[in-house]
């Protein structure tokens, strides 16, 4: 853990208000959701159970939490109002961890958990359980008078999974160690029943990352076995171009039902992407590159580039456009590459260092021309604009490779001999 990273005891979060970015109260924290892990690793905090004003309890992922301070929780983005349903791999921290009898590893002594501390990992949005506040003794007077102490998570046994005999729960926990590509490879070789069980246990963001790496047939199979609202949530968490490709493979009725359940803005992006031919710049592009106005600073650009959930190809450059700064944008002005951002002072305006020499692509540019463009100029991403000069999105080299490789390339074991079954 990085020194100075915030540590919060969960008892202090019970009942605290949760606010959206505009300062409006969403609800109050009623519990926290954690996932146990194998190998002696600390439980990972997935999110908060928040009771909204209608008394409905919803789930807010920790990736949406931007601040926990001064008796309040601040979130970012749109909150999904679907009712919270606990999954088999999830544990409620207040409801299941507190008052639990566990043992100290060093002495084998039984202690009672009175509180749990959580801490954010450095340079990431992930949170883990960090420490336990426990009391020695048990019951009656001994419990009231027993010594209390704060111990590291590793000093307590009873909060991790055994390697064997834990069914899908252990499999999902083991998958957490792997990259999405490797999880996808393992899922592809499972039986359809087992594949559905594991997919149901993964959280939405993780499942979205894995789906993007699976062959189309597996994608359709998995999304078809999810509840419709959850399927829509997972599609929203996917990269827009990958989600649009998956939707286009579904029967028309299923596609329309899922689009109706999605947020209007996300659904509009999907419909726009599906309107282009598959093997064109419009069909290949993502609608969520890094977009900045010309009066943004280099420091602003570097802060956006550092976002952990960006792919390396998207983080390699920012696109400078006039307002509005969501696709389709105002007039596209040019690109600033990551290396240029590192060379200029933080206070410099991106509008003053923009590269406008390269002509952007149009959405109907065919795949061979897109490939040649990337190769000729040694780029990992290229802008796509419409006839009015508005930025529509960007095509990244990984999306181009997906269409250049043989259809069965995902079947190939590219990780080295003896590793193909890792994680199964």
């Amino acid at each position: 853990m990085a020194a100075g990273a915030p540590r919060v005891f969960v008892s202090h979060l019970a009942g605290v208000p949760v606010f959206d970015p505009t300062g409006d109260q969403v609800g109050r924290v009623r519990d926290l959701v954690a996932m146990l892990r194998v190998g002696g690793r600390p439980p990972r905090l997935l999110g908060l159970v928040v009771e909204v004003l209608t008394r409905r309890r919803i789930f807010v992922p920790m990736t949406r939490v931007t601040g926990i301070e001064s008796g309040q929780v601040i979130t970012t983005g749109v909150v999904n109002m679907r009712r919270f349903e606990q999954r088999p791999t999830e544990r409620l921290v207040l409801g299941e961890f507190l008052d639990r009898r566990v043992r100290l590893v060093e002495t084998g002594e039984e202690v009672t958990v009175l509180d749990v501390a959580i801490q954010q990992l450095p340079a990431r949005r992930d949170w883990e359980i960090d420490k336990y506040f426990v009391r020695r003794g048990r019951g009656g007077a001994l419990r009231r008078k027993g010594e209390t102490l704060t111990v590291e998570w590793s000093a307590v046994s009873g909060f991790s999974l055994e390697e064997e005999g834990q069914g899908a729960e252990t499999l999902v926990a083991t998958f957490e160690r792997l990259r999405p590509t490797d999880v996808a490879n393992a899922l592809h070789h499972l039986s359809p029943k087992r594949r559905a069980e594991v997919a149901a246990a993964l959280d939405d963001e993780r499942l979205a990352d894995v789906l993007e790496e699976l062959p189309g047939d597996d994608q359709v199979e998995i999304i078809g076995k999810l509840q419709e609202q959850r399927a829509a949530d997972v599609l929203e968490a996917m990269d827009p171009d990958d989600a649009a490709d998956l939707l286009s493979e579904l029967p028309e009725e299923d596609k329309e039902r899922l689009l109706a359940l999605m947020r209007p803005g996300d659904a509009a992006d999907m419909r726009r992407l599906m309107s282009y031919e598959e093997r064109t710049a419009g069909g290949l592009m993502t609608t969520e590159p890094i977009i900045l106005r010309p009066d943004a600073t280099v420091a602003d650009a570097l802060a956006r580039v550092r976002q952990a959930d960006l792919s390396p190809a998207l983080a390699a450059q920012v696109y400078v456009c006039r307002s509005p700064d969501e696709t389709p944008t105002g007039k596209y002005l040019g690109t600033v590459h990551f290396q240029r951002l590192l060379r200029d002072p933080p206070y410099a305006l991106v509008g003053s260092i923009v590269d406008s020499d390269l002509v952007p692509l149009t959405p109907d540019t065919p795949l061979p021309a897109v490939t040649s463009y990337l190769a000729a100029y040694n780029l990992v991403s290229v802008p796509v604009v419409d006839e009015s000069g508005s930025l529509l999105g960007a095509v990244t080299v990984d999306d181009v490779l997906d269409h250049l490789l043989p259809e069965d390339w995902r079947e190939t074991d590219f990780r080295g001999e003896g590793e193909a079954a890792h994680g199964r």
Side-chain angles (χ1 to χ4, degrees), residues 196-210:
E197 291 170 350
V198 173
L202 293 170
D203 63 63
D204 291 351
E205 287 76 14
R206 182 66 162 165
L207 180 55
D209 291 341
V210 172

Side-chain angles (χ1 to χ4, degrees), residues 187-197 221 225 424:
L187 272 184
H188 177 69
H189 291 92
L190 295 176
S191 67
K193 176 180 180 296
R194 189 67 164 154
R195 190 156 49 232
E197 291 170 350
E221 173 197 303
K225 291 182 178 178
R424 288 186 63 181

Side-chain angles (χ1 to χ4, degrees), residues 200-228:
L202 293 170
D203 63 63
D204 291 351
E205 287 76 14
R206 182 66 162 165
L207 180 55
D209 291 341
V210 172
L211 279 176
E212 291 171 6
E213 306 298 334
L214 280 168
D217 290 346
D218 289 345
Q219 290 181 336
V220 171
E221 173 197 303
I222 289 173
I223 210 76
K225 291 182 178 178
L226 299 177
Q227 293 181 350
E228 285 190 344

Side-chain angles (χ1 to χ4, degrees), residues 1-8 117-121 126-131:
M1 298 289 177
R7 177 180 293 118
V8 181
I118 59 174
Q119 190 169 26
Q120 190 172 21
L121 298 179
D126 287 347
W127 290 70
E128 289 181 341
I129 288 179
D130 176 43
K131 295 180 182 292

Side-chain angles (χ1 to χ4, degrees), residues 246-278:
L246 173 49
L247 279 168
S248 65
E249 297 294 324
L250 300 178
E252 191 66 26
E253 291 183 2
D254 295 343
K255 178 172 63 179
E256 289 301 322
R257 279 199 301 270
L258 290 174
L259 286 167
L261 291 170
M262 297 172 68
R263 292 188 291 263
D266 291 322
D269 281 345
M270 301 301 146
R271 293 184 188 279
R272 180 154 53 91
L273 287 169
M274 287 187 290
S275 70
Y276 300 115
E277 292 293 330
E278 181 182 2

Side-chain angles (χ1 to χ4, degrees), residues 78 110 115 179 182 231 269 319 356:
V78 178
E110 274 201 338
D115 210 342
R179 292 176 180 269
D182 298 325
D269 281 345
Y319 298 95
S356 57

Side-chain angles (χ1 to χ4, degrees), residues 184-375:
N185 190 35
L187 272 184
H188 177 69
H189 291 92
L190 295 176
S191 67
K193 176 180 180 296
R194 189 67 164 154
R195 190 156 49 232
E197 291 170 350
V198 173
L202 293 170
D203 63 63
D204 291 351
E205 287 76 14
R206 182 66 162 165
L207 180 55
D209 291 341
V210 172
L211 279 176
E212 291 171 6
E213 306 298 334
L214 280 168
D217 290 346
D218 289 345
Q219 290 181 336
V220 171
E221 173 197 303
I222 289 173
I223 210 76
K225 291 182 178 178
L226 299 177
Q227 293 181 350
E228 285 190 344
Q229 182 59 63
R230 191 186 176 212
D233 294 342
V234 171
L235 286 165
E236 288 176 346
M238 294 175 67
D239 288 339
D241 53 324
D242 291 310
D245 289 344
L246 173 49
L247 279 168
S248 65
E249 297 294 324
L250 300 178
E252 191 66 26
E253 291 183 2
D254 295 343
K255 178 172 63 179
E256 289 301 322
R257 279 199 301 270
L258 290 174
L259 286 167
L261 291 170
M262 297 172 68
R263 292 188 291 263
D266 291 322
D269 281 345
M270 301 301 146
R271 293 184 188 279
R272 180 154 53 91
L273 287 169
M274 287 187 290
S275 70
Y276 300 115
E277 292 293 330
E278 181 182 2
R279 297 175 70 84
T280 64
L284 296 169
M285 69 183 179
T286 177
T287 57
E288 296 180 348
I290 303 176
I291 299 170
L292 292 172
R293 299 180 188 179
D295 58 352
T297 65
V298 166
D300 296 329
L302 289 173
R304 293 285 300 278
V305 166
R306 280 196 294 267
Q307 292 180 3
D309 54 353
L310 282 174
S311 69
L314 284 180
Q317 62 282 301
V318 301
Y319 298 95
V320 183
C321 306
R322 299 204 181 279
S323 180
D325 49 8
E326 293 185 0
T327 56
T329 66
K331 182 176 177 57
Y332 168 70
L333 302 177
T335 303
V336 182
H337 295 278
F338 178 61
Q339 285 183 319
R340 182 63 190 267
L341 294 174
L342 294 177
R343 292 197 296 263
D344 281 84
Y347 53 81
L349 300 183
V350 295
S352 68
I353 58 174
V354 69
D355 180 359
S356 57
D357 291 342
L358 294 179
V359 178
L361 301 179
T362 60
D364 58 353
T365 304
L367 175 61
V370 177
T371 305
S372 299
Y373 190 104
L374 289 168

